[in-house]
Amino acid sequence: MSPVDDGLVSNPTTNPRFSDVLDAALARRTVLVGGVAAAAATFLGGASVAHAGAPGRRRELLGFTGIPVSSADAVVVPEGYTAKVLISWGDPISDGPAFLPDAGNSAEDQARQWGMHNDAVWFFPLTEGGKAYNGRGRVRRGLLVQNHEYTDDVLLFTDGTADWDAEKTAKSQAAHGVSVIELRLRDGAWTVERPSPFARRVTASTPIEIAGPAAGDPLLQTSADKTGTTVLGTINNCAFGHTPWNTYLACEENFNGYFNKTGEPTELEDRYGIGEAGYLWYTTDTRFSADEEPNEPHRFGWVTEIDPFDPDSTPVKRTALGRIKHEGSWVVETTRGRVVVYSGDDQTNEYIYRYVSDRPWKEALRRKEHPLDHGVLYAGRFNEDGTGEWLALTHDDPALQAAGFTSQADVLIRARQAADVLGATKMDRPEWIDVDTETGFVYCTLTNNSGRGVEDGPPVDAANPRPANVYGHIIRWQYRDDYDEPTFRWEIFALAGDPGDPADGSTIVGDKYGSPDGIYVSPQGRLWIQTDVSSSTVNAGAYEGFGNNQMLAADPDTRETRRFLVGPNGCEVTGVVVTPDERTMFVGIQHPGEAPEGELDPANPGQFSTWPDGGTSRPRSSTVVVTKDDGGEIGS
Ligand code: FEO
Ligand code: CA
Ligand code: CA
């Protein structure tokens, strides 16, 4: 995660308003009632459903020996597995310039190189002819698309942030955004194809179209764009989504940290955390001064759709998905072909959102009504009895009209405030979401919330049952028949912490972890969990003995959880995808060597980690390729 917003709270409401304060004991009982078999029986009821699967998989999912925690400055994987670096910050994406180890590359170089601090990643298989894979034959070619969430500007430059100028702003902007690279399977190993006609960087200065109900709204108009329909760049792209029509969704998370406001923030600015900037861009680029361009911040916090198969295509911000600190946008299809898109708003005490397209996506595309421009956005309410409901954020709702919302554009631009009015449930920092299409369970990580149930924080509730929730938890929900139903049933999949220490209150079945962030259901149904313990607390305090950030595999039916990978010092493990045969896995290692507190000394960039290059080198965010030595499925 970006350090800009760690721990920020800007939700002033008293939501949830649905219940009295629950005592922790009742909440805890609710959590433990049921379990998977009971849940499956209750939710699916044996009915013939679109995504129905019997409880229990076709076969055993976890075949590897779990590894111990690690504090080594290395990527550690189980015996019988190999992890190799595929690409690192500064490497050319095609036939561009090579990385200079003293970080001496220019802004122009950086715009042709892999960006900094890679996050979510997806693999789009290609046919031998370079088209989207049609499901036939072995995959030997593909596009890897990955976000670059943020930059550490001390590491980005030889002399850190000293003497900040327009060139430094430009390089920092060029290190943000998204990369598309082409991979080929050669001699059994996936490697980067250079040059490639598909290779592309989308950065904080790439022209992007604004579409959907909020496009053109006066709040989106600036001195450079009087129409409110075009914007430069996408930033703080944390997690992601991918669509059935083969596009990539880059989501804008902590965008507020790039804008500087010196005066008193407006109510809207305050609700989205606009204030003192964490970056220095505004000092040379007036776009990022909210004093000079008050509407520019409203053009961020959206989901940007990118067609990775066409490097000349213009990315599009899809405003119907709402303006929040989008962790990601995970897409699942209903039986009739509508798309349902889930987003977590990653900030303490914020909400989970769901979007449902008006029409089946194929019909919508035929009619030239984009399925992500025409639909309804909802915010989630998690009731204490294990039921939940989706609250529609539509302008015709009398409560929203009474609260002063003037149009659907207004509702979407101020989505957080609309969700406040309708009484959505404040969650313990929603991060990734993914869907197990075999059982219909939707999983969401809630990374932590040390302010829950203490001081001015919201009270515990059944869905966020622990006061001072330092370890976080994973919640899951399920529908009766299909993903677009207005109500659902939920349960806690795991309360994180050390299951060997009763004081932690962990319900993990297996290896300990905390601060779950990435979550991914592989095609065969393995549930991969990645952690983001902040650098200031990793392996210290409540996290003493947890080692470096890590990735685990869980069986979603038995809940058995085993540690599969541990990252190098100071890193976050974020971003994971497998190839369709599940024999190759790509894993993101972000911000190795981040200073535990304060800033690095630019003269000593390898102070906390020298991964992956070793020696006295500057640490570099990288994506690694994991394979099983016997060629089998990853995790088997
Ligand atoms: Fe960027 Fe929510 O982690
Ligand atoms: Ca995080
Ligand atoms: Ca994240």
Side-chain angles (χ1 to χ4, degrees), residues 3 11 20 24 71 98-99 114 119 185 189 196 240 289 328 468 497 501 529 540 549 556 572 587 616:
N11 188 339
D20 299 326
S71 296
F99 176 70
W114 190 252
D119 205 307
L185 188 62
S196 165
F240 75 139
S289 165
D501 183 347
I529 299 162
N549 275 307
E572 171 183 345
V587 182
T616 58

Short mmCIF file of all heavy atoms in Angstrom, two decimals, residues 3 11 20 24 71 98-99 114 119 185 189 196 240 289 328 468 497 501 529 540 549 556 572 587 616:
data_model
loop_
_atom_site.label_atom_id
_atom_site.label_comp_id
_atom_site.label_asym_id
_atom_site.label_seq_id
_atom_site.Cartn_x
_atom_site.Cartn_y
_atom_site.Cartn_z
N PRO A 3 2.22 4.61 1.39
CA PRO A 3 2.34 5.09 2.76
C PRO A 3 1.54 6.36 3.00
O PRO A 3 1.35 6.78 4.12
CB PRO A 3 3.84 5.37 2.90
CG PRO A 3 4.32 5.62 1.51
CD PRO A 3 3.45 4.82 0.62
N ASN A 11 -14.32 9.18 7.54
CA ASN A 11 -15.75 8.90 7.54
C ASN A 11 -16.36 9.43 8.84
O ASN A 11 -16.16 8.88 9.91
CB ASN A 11 -16.00 7.39 7.44
CG ASN A 11 -17.48 7.07 7.25
OD1 ASN A 11 -18.33 7.90 7.57
ND2 ASN A 11 -17.77 5.90 6.73
N ASP A 20 -27.95 -1.88 17.75
CA ASP A 20 -27.28 -1.46 18.96
C ASP A 20 -25.86 -1.99 18.91
O ASP A 20 -25.51 -2.87 18.12
CB ASP A 20 -27.99 -2.04 20.18
CG ASP A 20 -29.42 -1.55 20.27
OD1 ASP A 20 -29.67 -0.40 19.88
OD2 ASP A 20 -30.27 -2.34 20.72
N ALA A 24 -18.87 -8.05 22.32
CA ALA A 24 -17.90 -8.83 21.56
C ALA A 24 -18.19 -10.31 21.63
O ALA A 24 -17.96 -11.05 20.68
CB ALA A 24 -16.49 -8.54 22.08
N SER A 71 12.76 -14.10 7.84
CA SER A 71 13.21 -12.70 7.84
C SER A 71 14.44 -12.56 6.98
O SER A 71 15.27 -11.67 7.18
CB SER A 71 13.52 -12.24 9.27
OG SER A 71 12.35 -12.26 10.05
N ALA A 98 18.23 0.48 -20.74
CA ALA A 98 18.46 -0.40 -19.59
C ALA A 98 18.42 0.40 -18.29
O ALA A 98 18.64 1.62 -18.28
CB ALA A 98 19.81 -1.09 -19.73
N PHE A 99 18.17 -0.30 -17.20
CA PHE A 99 18.16 0.31 -15.87
C PHE A 99 19.57 0.73 -15.48
O PHE A 99 20.53 -0.02 -15.65
CB PHE A 99 17.62 -0.71 -14.86
CG PHE A 99 17.64 -0.22 -13.44
CD1 PHE A 99 16.78 0.79 -13.02
CD2 PHE A 99 18.53 -0.76 -12.50
CE1 PHE A 99 16.79 1.24 -11.70
CE2 PHE A 99 18.54 -0.32 -11.19
CZ PHE A 99 17.68 0.68 -10.79
N TRP A 114 9.75 -0.59 -17.01
CA TRP A 114 8.82 -1.10 -15.99
C TRP A 114 8.75 -0.08 -14.85
O TRP A 114 9.78 0.41 -14.39
CB TRP A 114 9.37 -2.43 -15.47
CG TRP A 114 8.50 -3.26 -14.60
CD1 TRP A 114 8.66 -3.46 -13.26
CD2 TRP A 114 7.37 -4.05 -14.99
NE1 TRP A 114 7.69 -4.32 -12.79
CE2 TRP A 114 6.89 -4.70 -13.84
CE3 TRP A 114 6.73 -4.26 -16.21
CZ2 TRP A 114 5.80 -5.55 -13.86
CZ3 TRP A 114 5.62 -5.11 -16.24
CH2 TRP A 114 5.18 -5.73 -15.08
N ASP A 119 2.03 -3.77 -8.42
CA ASP A 119 0.95 -4.29 -7.55
C ASP A 119 0.17 -5.36 -8.33
O ASP A 119 0.78 -6.28 -8.88
CB ASP A 119 0.09 -3.12 -7.05
CG ASP A 119 -0.62 -3.45 -5.74
OD1 ASP A 119 -1.31 -4.48 -5.68
OD2 ASP A 119 -0.48 -2.68 -4.77
N LEU A 185 6.78 -18.41 -23.86
CA LEU A 185 7.30 -19.62 -23.22
C LEU A 185 8.41 -20.17 -24.11
O LEU A 185 8.16 -20.64 -25.22
CB LEU A 185 6.16 -20.64 -23.07
CG LEU A 185 6.45 -21.89 -22.25
CD1 LEU A 185 6.79 -21.56 -20.81
CD2 LEU A 185 5.24 -22.83 -22.29
N ALA A 189 10.41 -21.87 -20.04
CA ALA A 189 10.39 -20.73 -19.10
C ALA A 189 9.73 -19.53 -19.76
O ALA A 189 9.98 -19.22 -20.93
CB ALA A 189 11.81 -20.39 -18.68
N SER A 196 8.50 -5.98 -28.48
CA SER A 196 7.16 -6.51 -28.67
C SER A 196 6.23 -5.41 -29.14
O SER A 196 6.28 -4.29 -28.63
CB SER A 196 6.61 -7.06 -27.34
OG SER A 196 5.21 -7.25 -27.45
N PHE A 240 -7.09 -4.34 -9.15
CA PHE A 240 -7.42 -4.35 -10.57
C PHE A 240 -8.70 -5.12 -10.82
O PHE A 240 -9.37 -5.59 -9.90
CB PHE A 240 -6.27 -5.02 -11.31
CG PHE A 240 -6.26 -6.53 -11.12
CD1 PHE A 240 -5.97 -7.37 -12.18
CD2 PHE A 240 -6.58 -7.09 -9.91
CE1 PHE A 240 -5.98 -8.75 -12.02
CE2 PHE A 240 -6.60 -8.48 -9.73
CZ PHE A 240 -6.29 -9.30 -10.80
N SER A 289 -2.17 20.96 -7.75
CA SER A 289 -2.48 21.92 -6.69
C SER A 289 -3.99 22.10 -6.66
O SER A 289 -4.57 22.67 -7.58
CB SER A 289 -1.80 23.27 -6.96
OG SER A 289 -2.40 24.25 -6.13
N GLY A 328 -9.83 -2.34 -6.00
CA GLY A 328 -9.88 -3.07 -7.26
C GLY A 328 -11.29 -3.08 -7.80
O GLY A 328 -12.17 -2.38 -7.28
N ALA A 468 -9.99 -3.21 18.20
CA ALA A 468 -8.55 -3.05 17.94
C ALA A 468 -8.06 -4.19 17.05
O ALA A 468 -7.18 -4.96 17.40
CB ALA A 468 -7.77 -3.01 19.25
N GLY A 497 -4.25 -13.70 12.65
CA GLY A 497 -3.47 -13.75 13.89
C GLY A 497 -2.83 -15.12 14.00
O GLY A 497 -2.87 -15.92 13.06
N ASP A 501 -1.76 -18.86 19.51
CA ASP A 501 -1.77 -17.97 20.67
C ASP A 501 -3.21 -17.55 20.95
O ASP A 501 -3.78 -16.73 20.22
CB ASP A 501 -0.91 -16.74 20.38
CG ASP A 501 -0.83 -15.81 21.58
OD1 ASP A 501 -1.62 -15.99 22.53
OD2 ASP A 501 0.02 -14.91 21.55
N ILE A 529 -3.67 -16.04 -0.50
CA ILE A 529 -3.83 -14.90 0.41
C ILE A 529 -2.46 -14.23 0.55
O ILE A 529 -1.46 -14.89 0.83
CB ILE A 529 -4.32 -15.38 1.80
CG1 ILE A 529 -5.67 -16.08 1.67
CG2 ILE A 529 -4.38 -14.22 2.78
CD1 ILE A 529 -6.03 -16.95 2.86
N ALA A 540 7.30 -7.02 14.38
CA ALA A 540 7.51 -6.28 15.64
C ALA A 540 6.16 -6.09 16.32
O ALA A 540 5.11 -6.17 15.68
CB ALA A 540 8.14 -4.93 15.35
N ASN A 549 6.49 -10.12 5.05
CA ASN A 549 5.20 -10.33 4.37
C ASN A 549 5.26 -11.58 3.49
O ASN A 549 6.33 -11.99 3.04
CB ASN A 549 4.81 -9.09 3.58
CG ASN A 549 4.10 -8.08 4.46
OD1 ASN A 549 3.12 -8.42 5.13
ND2 ASN A 549 4.60 -6.85 4.49
N PRO A 556 -10.51 -23.55 0.24
CA PRO A 556 -11.69 -22.79 0.67
C PRO A 556 -12.75 -23.65 1.34
O PRO A 556 -13.61 -23.13 2.06
CB PRO A 556 -12.21 -22.16 -0.61
CG PRO A 556 -11.58 -22.90 -1.73
CD PRO A 556 -10.32 -23.51 -1.21
N GLU A 572 6.11 -5.80 0.52
CA GLU A 572 4.73 -6.31 0.56
C GLU A 572 4.64 -7.34 -0.57
O GLU A 572 5.23 -7.13 -1.63
CB GLU A 572 3.76 -5.16 0.33
CG GLU A 572 2.31 -5.58 0.13
CD GLU A 572 1.41 -4.38 -0.19
OE1 GLU A 572 1.84 -3.23 0.02
OE2 GLU A 572 0.28 -4.61 -0.65
N VAL A 587 4.08 -13.53 -9.26
CA VAL A 587 3.83 -12.93 -7.94
C VAL A 587 4.56 -11.59 -7.85
O VAL A 587 5.75 -11.52 -8.19
CB VAL A 587 4.32 -13.85 -6.80
CG1 VAL A 587 4.02 -13.23 -5.44
CG2 VAL A 587 3.69 -15.23 -6.90
N THR A 616 25.52 -4.37 -2.75
CA THR A 616 25.13 -3.14 -2.05
C THR A 616 24.07 -2.40 -2.86
O THR A 616 23.92 -1.19 -2.77
CB THR A 616 26.35 -2.21 -1.87
OG1 THR A 616 26.89 -1.93 -3.17
CG2 THR A 616 27.41 -2.86 -0.99
#
